[in-house]
Amino acid sequence: IRKKIKNHVIFRFSSIYGEYMKEGSIIPRYVNQSLSEDQIIVWGNGQRLQNYIHVKDAAKLLSLAVSSNKTGTYLATDSREYSNLALAKIISDNRNCQIIFKNEDSSPSKTYDNNYTKDAFKWSTETEFKTGVKNYIKWKVKQF
């Protein structure tokens, strides 16, 4: 017999980033290119938008959910998106490498409104994206 769960929370995460993140995603790819080739290849004009959430901010939100009596589905995202070009510039400024534009990028941009989540859990991300990427680069350089 199935028991009905009274309180549950489902989070829909955007791209989680930080140490040990999946190598095939864009942040590790760009950082790896900057380390091995002194360049970053950006598809299209780099204007595609993506939302990122630092792993520490994601963990904090999960912790808040565990200690709450909330029920429902929520977005676990940062409050803004960043273009691929903005990401490449953060890395390029840190690594002093060249940005090269190549081919076309027909991937859709992803944008989210996380106000419902922020209000429900009295939460917001604390890791500024530029700082999080710089910290990832420092960690990656040690691994490289």
Side-chain angles (χ1 to χ4, degrees):
I1 297 175
R2 293 176 75 180
K3 212 179 198 186
K4 186 174 180 180
I5 300 172
K6 291 182 182 181
N7 292 350
H8 68 279
V9 174
I10 299 169
F11 285 115
R12 298 197 56 163
F13 288 93
S14 61
S15 296
I16 299 175
Y17 75 101
E19 295 177 9
Y20 300 100
M21 70 183 294
K22 186 172 130 183
E23 283 294 318
S25 56
I26 194 165
I27 294 174
R29 284 196 334 233
Y30 279 9
V31 171
N32 289 341
Q33 288 174 13
S34 76
L35 291 169
S36 64
E37 303 166 27
D38 287 326
Q39 68 181 16
I40 299 169
I41 298 173
V42 176
W43 289 83
N45 61 10
Q47 296 307 303
R48 186 181 73 79
L49 298 175
Q50 179 66 43
N51 190 288
Y52 302 93
I53 183 171
H54 193 272
V55 65
K56 289 181 181 178
D57 293 320
K60 183 173 181 180
L61 183 56
L62 290 171
S63 177
L64 289 169
V66 167
S67 61
S68 78
N69 61 357
K70 304 286 184 214
T71 296
T73 303
Y74 300 87
L75 289 175
T77 64
D78 199 345
S79 56
R80 68 173 284 207
E81 287 72 35
Y82 296 87
S83 70
N84 289 349
L85 180 56
L87 170 62
K89 283 182 178 178
I90 292 169
I91 298 167
S92 174
D93 289 348
N94 188 271
R95 297 286 311 142
N96 194 24
C97 64
Q98 183 179 14
I99 297 173
I100 298 170
F101 297 95
K102 189 174 182 179
N103 298 329
E104 295 294 320
D105 185 359
S106 59
S107 302
S109 292
K110 303 288 184 186
T111 60
Y112 304 93
D113 178 352
N114 75 346
N115 285 320
Y116 181 68
T117 304
K118 286 168 49 176
D119 293 343
F121 293 96
K122 307 295 184 246
W123 166 88
S124 64
T125 56
E126 295 176 4
T127 307
E128 197 270 325
F129 184 64
K130 188 174 185 176
T131 302
V133 172
K134 285 181 177 183
N135 288 339
Y136 176 78
I137 293 168
K138 287 178 190 174
W139 173 82
K140 190 66 176 184
V141 164
K142 290 177 186 175
Q143 311 306 308
F144 204 71

